[in-house]
Amino acid sequence: MPPVLCLFVLFGALCPYGEAMSLEEKQKLRNQVVEMFDHAYQNYMDHAYPADELMPLTCRGRVRGLEPSRGDVDDALGKFSLTLIDTLDTLVLLNKTTEFEAAVRRVLSDVRLDNDIVVSVFETNIRVLGGLLGGHSMAVMLKEGGQHMQWYQDELLHMAKDLGLRLLPAFNTSSGLPYPRINLKHGVRGPETRTGTETDTCTACAGTMILEFAALSRFTGDPVFEDHARRALDFLWEKRQRNSNLVGTTINIHSGEWVRRDSGVGAGIDSYYEYLLKAYILLGDDLFLQRFNIHYASIMKYISQPPLLLDVHIHKPLLPARTWMDSLLAFFPGLQVLKGDIRPAIETHEMLYQVTKKHNFLPEAFTTDFRVHWAQHPLRPEFAESTYFLYKATGDPYYLEAGRTILDNLNRFARVPCGFAAMKDVRTGSHEDRMDSFFLAEMFKYLFLLFAEAEDIPFDVEDYVFTTEAHLLPLSLSTAPNTSSILSNKTSDEELDDSNFDWTCPNTRLLFPDPAFPRSLREPIRSAVDKSCPRPAPYREPGMGRPPLRAQDFMANNPEHLELLRRMGVSLIHLKDGRVQLVQHATQAVSAVAAEDGVRFMQEMMELSSQQQKEQLPPRAIQIVSHPFFGRVVLTAGPAQFGTDLSKSSTGVRGFVTVAEPYSGCTEITNAEYVQGHIALLQRGQCMFAEKARNIQKAGAIGGIVIDDNDGSSSDTAPLFQMAGDGRSTDDITLPLLFLFHKEGNILLEALKEYREVEVLLSDKARDRAAIFKGKPLPGSLIEGSVDVQEEEDCQTEATTPTSFEPVSQSQMSTEELDESVPEEVTPAQEEVSPAGEVGREKEDKAVDSQADTAQPKEERNSEKAEEPRGDTDSSSQSVDELLADWREDLEAFKQMEKDEL
């Protein structure tokens, strides 16, 4: 039996559980996927091509150098019509053969690969080289069918080889690891390249080359590409930490030293593990499977804390490296399905599904208690990918319903007239003017396959392997001559654990004898995320007495208490913002009884924490509705725990803004004649928030906006800020008060400075423009002609709702955060709660930190986001002037659109 096939024998083997979806319903959803793809693809072709990507809010193409720089994210753009190339094999899968043929002709006639531009080696490999190879595979398949592409003479393969040769100089390092960037025209050497000085690359960036490069070698018969990709993988394997068998996130390409020693399965490492397993599937080389299994055993031992996947340190794998997870790890349940380890795949996927249902999309990062850490969502497809693989493995219609949820959320919250827009903030529903190429390359493939029957697919997908960008490479390449001149380093017999290989071809009848088993795995996870986990009555063995330490007695600086925690398997992590996080690993307790005590202690600590914190509120939105913005600019704002509850107002509060005098709002307002009937702008500090609200309310204001006085603060990087009261009744405050960080506040102030009259809408979420203007012609509409207003209203009828704070309690792992700004002991909170790090300002204003984890300082977060293969770049490192310059350029674009329409 060929080694490849055993990985797929489990597909459909499990008995489905739940109410089956009718064929008619599946067909309806399948057709909906195709319609959504058409909406995205046609808008790219109409408004963006030949640009690399579509900007769906402004209905134009994103051309590198003509738009404000987004940092590393722009390294994927090479002026080579990225989205078109990335979408080629999607067109075939969705039975759009005519469109595919036209797209191939466009690529051959229009696309140049010799541009003088610096691009990411990783992104260019998976998106462009992978897209060309996937397109070539489809073209060959169609040509062999005898009806289409009869004119095709391997032109896409010739382009792929040209691109491969342009990427090869990146591998010219002593280690064999590629440079992270390369100039398509000049390579990496010489001043004209404007690159080649980098010293670090991410593990995934160096370890995600083997599928595309090996396929290129086997298609062309030239072994040089596969040789270089294998050499890079060999070096990463040699540099793994030998005790933990884990790899770090960032490595020096010259010395091989680990630069960042944290290890997980998300951003920076993800596709390295994926390509080890898939290289075995595609190439049939047992060496790749052996290495993957060794890594996988360590992942399940150290990183996996079902249903969580938490980064650890490679040298101290029992020590957590961070308290949040990024959305890229959502691919991992799908990889576990290929591995044959279904149980943890079901558990992690269910956790991700519940987080998705809470926020409508997976936030770019979220905490261990499932709150938003990074609020962006660039329409990533990894959750859809895992949903598809789990449905294939189990046949459980539950995963069809998960797919329906993905479709509904995309249509309701991300769909715009010119395509689908990424979410800037899942809490408020604000959009970002981007539609990445991977949305068309991956999302619609997996969703179509999820709802498709065998007769709907023009070829057998089991004959192909999906790359990390979901490009299709034929498994027949495993039988192609392998003329590689490099022998990979063999894995010694001592490193192998034969028992680990049993999972590669599991007997699903033994693993899952009960058809209801998948549901039994999901239920406790759903309860944990929903914060309704039933807690059994405490049990202790006879004679054991009470737990040795109660939560209300715990003091973080008491050595005796710390030793008791250690015995219970509870460890402390001191966060950078002054808080302490408690993490409980039952397996690290000195005994089963001590582990039980640890679980009970964590439960008590959670209950105590919930008493200490008031109910947390979701973020609010400030939407600029006056000329020339007309509702397009939405600022994420923090709420107040007093005053008008905007979530209970169907219309929000709308009015013109004016700066209060004094700006602090801490004494009687001296320009009351201007504040009356307006929304007052105030500066944070010098007094309490409630006092500011009372002063502007007395002056006749209809609302207030407090702007942070901390230069450079931004909702992009800082946790959401909630304004608390002043320790006495705030029932007398009847107006809404919202909080803006410095960056967002400056946008509002600059608009006021330039236009003098600025009208805003204070609400619980971004409103669609049709609702704001109540049926009047939409000023500055992005496109002329009829717009389905009902569709736009549907897209905005529900606000994204983040979870309030509730740590997770699982038998294997629990976390709890304490505020160490109260140094001696943890006690039930008074009526007011100040966040960690705010104690010094308690006399000025009080606040509650409603986002989970601020452990990472701003610079550290920026570096981590910059190193994500597909992450957003954090704008907090830019100066305010630069941010405002970017904003002004967007404003000029809006003005130009208005002129065009007039």
Side-chain angles (χ1 to χ4, degrees):
M1 180 178 181
V4 172
L5 298 181
C6 69
L7 288 165
F8 294 92
V9 296
L10 59 92
F11 280 173
L14 305 187
C15 299
Y17 183 87
E19 190 172 335
M21 182 180 286
S22 68
L23 290 177
E24 293 77 12
E25 188 66 17
K26 287 182 69 176
Q27 182 181 18
K28 178 182 175 182
L29 292 171
R30 183 172 64 252
N31 292 340
Q32 188 176 0
V33 172
V34 176
E35 184 279 328
M36 292 167 66
F37 170 83
D38 288 341
H39 178 67
Y41 178 71
Q42 202 55 52
N43 272 290
Y44 165 74
M45 296 305 296
D46 291 345
H47 299 290
Y49 182 81
D52 283 316
E53 290 180 343
L54 170 68
M55 300 173 67
L57 298 183
T58 50
C59 297
R60 67 179 192 268
R62 183 180 296 281
V63 179
R64 193 166 170 190
L66 300 183
E67 302 294 335
S69 173
R70 301 176 299 169
D72 292 349
V73 178
D74 283 340
D75 287 344
L77 311 180
K79 297 182 180 179
F80 35 36
S81 300
L82 173 64
T83 297
L84 184 62
I85 292 177
D86 222 358
T87 309
L88 289 176
D89 49 7
T90 308
L91 289 167
V92 178
L93 182 68
L94 271 58
N95 296 288
K96 296 184 176 296
T97 310
T98 302
E99 290 88 339
F100 171 74
E101 192 157 352
V104 172
R105 291 186 184 277
R106 281 182 181 267
V107 169
L108 298 180
S109 63
D110 298 348
V111 174
R112 295 189 55 174
L113 299 174
D114 61 348
N115 299 313
D116 183 8
I117 193 168
V118 176
V119 297
S120 162
V121 173
F122 166 79
E123 296 288 358
T124 305
N125 174 64
I126 66 171
R127 299 203 209 187
V128 186
L129 182 57
L132 292 171
L133 292 172
H136 170 69
S137 300
M138 295 295 97
V140 169
M141 181 269 296
L142 290 172
K143 184 178 181 179
E144 291 174 350
Q147 294 184 356
H148 303 280
M149 301 295 293
Q150 297 304 299
W151 55 269
Y152 183 69
Q153 298 294 327
D154 295 344
E155 289 89 347
L156 291 177
L157 180 59
H158 299 324
M159 289 185 68
K161 184 172 183 180
D162 177 30
L163 180 60
L165 292 172
R166 293 180 184 280
L167 294 178
L168 273 184
F171 291 84
N172 189 19
T173 62
S174 56
S175 65
L177 299 179
Y179 282 95
R181 297 175 186 84
I182 194 167
N183 187 299
L184 288 176
K185 186 173 185 177
H186 301 294
V188 293
R189 297 293 175 89
E192 69 277 6
T193 66
R194 304 185 303 282
T195 188
T197 59
E198 302 92 341
T199 58
D200 306 335
T201 193
C202 70
T203 301
C205 301
T208 310
M209 309 292 292
I210 185 64
L211 291 190
E212 293 83 1
F213 270 45
L216 182 58
S217 282
R218 299 190 180 207
F219 272 134
T220 63
D222 186 345
V224 65
F225 306 105
E226 184 172 346
D227 288 350
H228 280 81
R230 282 178 176 265
R231 184 184 175 202
L233 276 180
D234 289 346
F235 190 82
L236 289 173
W237 172 253
E238 285 299 312
K239 290 300 178 179
R240 76 193 186 283
Q241 212 289 324
R242 296 303 178 97
N243 293 323
S244 67
N245 278 317
L246 296 173
V247 292
T249 302
T250 308
I251 191 171
N252 186 295
I253 59 176
H254 304 297
S255 67
E257 295 295 321
W258 291 110
V259 179
R260 281 182 49 200
R261 294 176 173 82
D262 47 314
S263 184
V265 296
I269 302 180
D270 49 0
S271 48
Y272 163 69
Y273 293 133
E274 178 186 3
Y275 269 38
L276 282 177
L277 181 57
K278 289 184 176 180
Y280 164 70
I281 297 172
L282 180 66
L283 307 176
D285 189 336
D286 290 346
L287 179 69
F288 294 121
L289 180 61
Q290 293 170 3
R291 291 178 179 178
F292 172 80
N293 280 327
I294 290 170
H295 280 315
Y296 186 78
S298 293
I299 290 169
M300 299 308 292
K301 181 177 181 180
Y302 301 118
I303 295 170
S304 176
Q305 300 288 340
L308 309 180
L309 292 163
L310 292 175
D311 284 19
V312 299
H313 294 275
I314 58 175
H315 296 288
K316 296 180 180 178
L318 296 178
L319 181 63
R322 63 188 188 190
T323 58
W324 48 271
M325 295 166 279
D326 65 75
S327 62
L328 285 171
L329 61 76
F331 90 100
F332 197 67
L335 191 65
Q336 289 179 306
V337 169
L338 290 182
K339 163 69 175 167
D341 201 358
I342 307 296
R343 177 177 182 138
I346 291 173
E347 292 173 332
T348 298
H349 180 275
E350 182 61 21
M351 178 269 291
L352 295 168
Y353 186 28
Q354 296 305 317
V355 173
T356 296
K357 290 203 287 189
K358 280 190 171 296
H359 304 295
N360 298 322
F361 300 98
L362 269 183
E364 197 67 334
F366 53 95
T367 63
T368 53
D369 56 352
F370 314 118
R371 292 186 292 169
V372 173
H373 183 65
W374 293 333
Q376 306 95 323
H377 173 77
L379 306 181
R380 292 201 186 278
E382 284 77 14
F383 178 67
E385 174 185 356
S386 288
T387 302
Y388 162 67
F389 278 112
L390 271 168
Y391 178 65
K392 287 283 287 182
T394 65
D396 191 338
Y398 179 83
Y399 296 107
L400 296 177
E401 293 301 327
R404 187 205 301 266
T405 300
I406 297 171
L407 283 183
D408 289 346
N409 288 343
L410 284 171
N411 274 324
R412 293 176 63 192
F413 302 111
R415 186 166 183 148
V416 294
C418 284
F420 291 85
M423 307 304 296
K424 182 178 181 181
D425 193 317
V426 298
R427 300 164 299 184
T428 62
S430 56
H431 288 134
E432 189 173 355
D433 201 4
R434 62 183 287 195
M435 188 180 81
D436 291 81
S437 69
F438 54 71
F439 181 62
L440 286 165
E442 301 182 64
M443 181 70 81
F444 294 110
K445 274 199 190 84
Y446 292 123
L447 290 177
F448 180 82
L449 288 170
L450 178 64
F451 298 115
E453 300 297 324
E455 58 270 20
D456 301 319
I457 306 170
F459 54 88
D460 188 353
V461 292
E462 305 295 351
D463 292 337
Y464 296 83
V465 66
F466 288 106
T467 69
T468 195
E469 190 77 4
H471 292 306
L472 294 154
L473 299 178
L475 294 179
S476 58
L477 289 174
S478 63
T479 61
N482 181 8
T483 57
S484 176
S485 59
I486 295 180
L487 293 177
S488 295
N489 298 325
K490 297 298 179 182
T491 306
S492 66
D493 294 337
E494 297 81 39
E495 292 173 323
L496 299 180
D497 177 5
D498 290 340
S499 64
N500 193 32
F501 291 85
D502 296 340
W503 289 95
T504 305
C505 299
N507 184 326
T508 53
R509 292 185 179 180
L510 294 177
L511 282 175
F512 301 104
D514 180 5
F517 186 69
R519 188 180 73 163
S520 68
L521 293 178
R522 293 192 293 259
E523 288 295 340
I525 296 167
R526 182 180 306 131
S527 299
V529 180
D530 286 342
K531 303 181 297 297
S532 58
C533 185
R535 187 173 296 125
Y539 167 79
R540 287 185 63 76
E541 295 178 11
M544 294 302 296
R546 297 176 63 81
L549 180 62
R550 304 302 303 272
Q552 60 264 35
D553 300 327
F554 172 67
M555 290 187 290
N557 59 351
N558 186 318
E560 184 179 345
H561 288 183
L562 299 179
E563 174 60 21
L564 290 173
L565 290 188
R566 185 193 66 78
R567 295 179 61 81
M568 293 189 292
V570 179
S571 57
L572 269 73
I573 301 175
H574 292 268
L575 304 180
K576 299 287 179 66
D577 63 355
R579 290 176 297 163
V580 169
Q581 183 174 53
L582 300 177
V583 181
Q584 202 249 351
H585 295 274
T587 56
Q588 297 178 18
V590 295
S591 67
V593 173
E596 183 185 342
D597 289 339
V599 172
R600 186 173 299 107
F601 175 83
M602 296 298 290
Q603 291 172 346
E604 290 180 356
M605 191 60 74
M606 288 180 230
E607 293 169 356
L608 184 61
S609 176
S610 65
Q611 296 170 10
Q612 291 178 329
Q613 296 199 16
K614 289 187 174 183
E615 180 182 0
Q616 304 237 335
L617 302 173
R620 305 298 188 219
I622 298 176
Q623 199 163 3
I624 307 179
V625 298
S626 56
H627 171 87
F629 308 95
F630 301 120
R632 297 188 189 94
V633 176
V634 182
L635 307 175
T636 300
Q641 294 178 346
F642 52 84
T644 301
D645 185 353
L646 292 170
S647 66
K648 297 177 180 178
S649 170
S650 60
T651 58
V653 174
R654 180 170 173 172
F656 289 91
V657 298
T658 188
V659 177
E661 295 179 5
Y663 190 22
S664 67
C666 291
T667 58
E668 184 175 349
I669 303 301
T670 58
N671 62 336
E673 67 275 17
Y674 297 108
V675 169
Q676 186 174 9
H678 287 66
I679 295 173
L681 301 182
L682 306 156
Q683 187 178 46
R684 179 184 178 186
Q686 300 183 31
C687 66
M688 306 186 81
F689 293 120
E691 187 175 348
K692 299 174 189 288
R694 290 189 179 99
N695 285 331
I696 61 172
Q697 180 172 288
K698 183 179 178 182
I702 60 173
I705 300 172
V706 179
I707 298 175
D708 194 9
D709 59 346
N710 180 20
D711 285 354
S713 65
S714 165
S715 64
D716 294 338
T717 54
L720 184 70
F721 197 87
Q722 276 195 112
M723 297 178 287
D726 56 0
R728 56 194 177 97
S729 174
T730 53
D731 292 343
D732 59 313
I733 302 175
T734 58
L735 53 68
L737 190 70
L738 298 183
F739 179 88
L740 283 179
F741 282 105
H742 189 265
K743 179 186 119 177
E744 289 80 6
N746 260 19
I747 290 175
L748 196 56
L749 291 172
E750 284 293 317
L752 185 61
K753 181 179 178 181
E754 185 161 351
Y755 297 101
R756 303 190 65 124
E757 289 191 346
V758 174
E759 188 179 17
V760 301
L761 174 65
L762 312 183
S763 59
D764 63 333
K765 62 187 176 184
R767 308 284 174 164
D768 66 273
R769 299 169 64 228
I772 293 173
F773 295 101
K774 299 180 181 178
K776 299 176 184 178
L778 296 181
S781 179
L782 296 183
I783 56 174
E784 288 193 322
S786 61
V787 177
D788 189 344
V789 175
Q790 181 61 43
E791 178 186 3
E792 288 197 21
E793 288 177 351
D794 289 344
C795 290
Q796 297 291 345
T797 50
E798 284 191 14
T800 54
T801 307
T803 74
S804 57
F805 176 75
E806 178 86 7
V808 184
S809 177
Q810 298 289 340
S811 60
Q812 293 299 316
M813 185 207 172
S814 302
T815 65
E816 176 62 44
E817 291 182 1
L818 310 175
D819 187 347
E820 212 180 27
S821 59
V822 182
E824 290 300 321
E825 56 182 321
V826 179
T827 58
Q830 303 302 317
E831 186 172 348
E832 306 305 322
V833 181
S834 295
E838 288 293 319
V839 176
R841 300 185 60 167
E842 189 170 359
K843 293 184 181 179
E844 295 181 350
D845 40 39
K846 294 190 176 184
V848 182
D849 177 0
S850 80
Q851 187 159 333
D853 187 2
T854 55
Q856 301 280 344
K858 207 174 291 183
E859 312 84 273
E860 210 167 311
R861 293 187 188 180
N862 293 344
S863 65
E864 292 197 15
K865 292 186 87 170
E867 287 162 8
E868 289 187 21
R870 297 182 192 157
D872 284 335
T873 50
D874 194 333
S875 62
S876 64
S877 62
Q878 293 177 272
S879 70
V880 174
D881 290 340
E882 290 172 325
L883 292 168
L884 291 173
D886 293 349
W887 168 75
R888 288 193 186 98
E889 290 186 15
D890 290 340
L891 191 56
E892 290 302 318
F894 292 144
K895 288 180 180 178
Q896 186 59 47
M897 280 190 296
E898 285 183 296
K899 291 178 182 177
D900 293 344
E901 289 163 1
L902 291 174

